[in-house]
Amino acid sequence: MRRRDPIVAAAAAAFLCLIASPIAAAPSPLEYTRSILEQTRLIVDGQQPHNAKLTALSDLLKKFLDTDTMGRAALGNNWDKFKPDQQQEFLSLFRELFQRTYVQKLLLFERPDFEYVGEKIDKNTAQADTKIVTPRDEFAVVYRLRRDGERWLATDIQIEDLSLTTNFRRQLDRMLAKSTPEEVLSRMRRKYGPGGKGAEDEEL
């Protein structure tokens, strides 16, 4: 049997350690999702006023929600109907829309309890399966994620069998079948632009 050169073997081991360390140090998709949701629980259960909770949750979720990917997916084949400057404005407005929608859903649950069911990883994408448990019911919530360095970003959220991104895509498809991109943006500006009052439901 051919003997390995000890110097070459040591160099190879060191190289493997170097390339493996960042991945080993990164939390798993489920661990990362757990860290975000546990911080969310503290805010939701806190005693601060409603608007303060909204602000704190929005600040936290900016680090977790990949709303640009969600926005492009929500436009689907309609993406090319928007000019480049309109695309950027749409993503900015969609970020506000999605965060408000998700935060409003979280605040519907009084003292929510999160359960962490499992995860599936396929290279740089993953799925984290969780539940929101209340004294009267429980809801399956699936986070679809992509790796971003040592963190994971959510590219879609599915509550029970409803994907939030798919829900927005259906709304946008209907709107863009009878409205121009500028008309859609104008409507979104009124709700989600500076000074916009948003919406309590999921309608654009």
Side-chain angles (χ1 to χ4, degrees):
M1 180 182 292
R2 183 181 177 185
R3 295 186 59 187
R4 293 179 178 175
D5 184 321
I7 296 177
V8 172
F15 175 73
L16 288 174
C17 288
L18 282 173
I19 62 172
S21 292
I23 296 176
S28 77
L30 194 62
E31 289 170 346
Y32 192 80
T33 303
R34 182 199 300 267
S35 73
I36 296 294
L37 292 183
E38 291 305 319
Q39 293 176 69
T40 298
R41 183 213 303 270
L42 292 176
I43 296 170
V44 174
D45 288 349
Q47 300 300 314
Q48 62 267 51
H50 180 79
N51 285 342
K53 288 184 179 181
L54 287 176
T55 301
L57 286 170
S58 293
D59 289 343
L60 171 65
L61 293 172
K62 285 176 184 174
K63 306 172 187 174
F64 183 56
L65 301 178
D66 182 358
T67 55
D68 282 1
T69 295
M70 295 174 183
R72 290 195 63 140
L75 274 184
N77 293 332
N78 290 308
W79 175 257
D80 291 335
K81 294 181 180 178
F82 287 64
K83 298 174 184 175
D85 59 329
Q86 291 178 318
Q87 292 170 346
Q88 294 310 307
E89 182 179 11
F90 172 81
L91 293 180
S92 176
L93 294 167
F94 185 84
R95 181 178 308 120
E96 189 68 21
L97 159 68
F98 195 96
Q99 286 188 0
R100 289 192 194 189
T101 300
Y102 183 56
V103 166
Q104 292 289 354
K105 284 185 177 296
L106 287 173
L107 292 177
L108 288 177
F109 301 103
E110 186 177 356
R111 304 184 70 82
D113 190 17
F114 298 109
E115 291 187 0
Y116 305 95
V117 180
E119 64 184 7
K120 299 172 187 172
I121 305 174
D122 183 10
K123 298 180 180 176
N124 290 319
T125 61
Q127 172 179 318
D129 297 325
T130 72
K131 288 182 181 178
I132 295 179
V133 181
T134 71
R136 291 187 300 178
D137 214 338
E138 66 179 40
F139 304 87
V141 183
V142 175
Y143 295 86
R144 302 197 186 283
L145 307 153
R146 71 172 177 86
R147 185 191 295 277
D148 180 41
E150 295 190 1
R151 64 177 181 169
W152 292 87
L153 296 177
T155 56
D156 195 12
I157 302 172
Q158 181 177 319
I159 301 177
E160 291 296 321
D161 293 325
L162 178 63
S163 155
L164 296 183
T165 302
T166 300
N167 185 42
F168 286 126
R169 183 189 300 167
R170 289 172 181 158
Q171 292 185 49
L172 286 162
D173 283 346
R174 287 196 298 270
M175 293 172 66
L176 288 164
K178 54 187 178 184
S179 304
T180 66
E182 180 53 36
E183 289 169 336
V184 172
L185 288 173
S186 178
R187 179 170 172 167
M188 293 178 71
R189 280 186 210 113
R190 289 195 296 272
K191 289 187 172 182
Y192 307 106
K197 59 183 180 181
E200 295 297 323
D201 54 28
E202 298 172 23
E203 293 298 317
L204 286 166

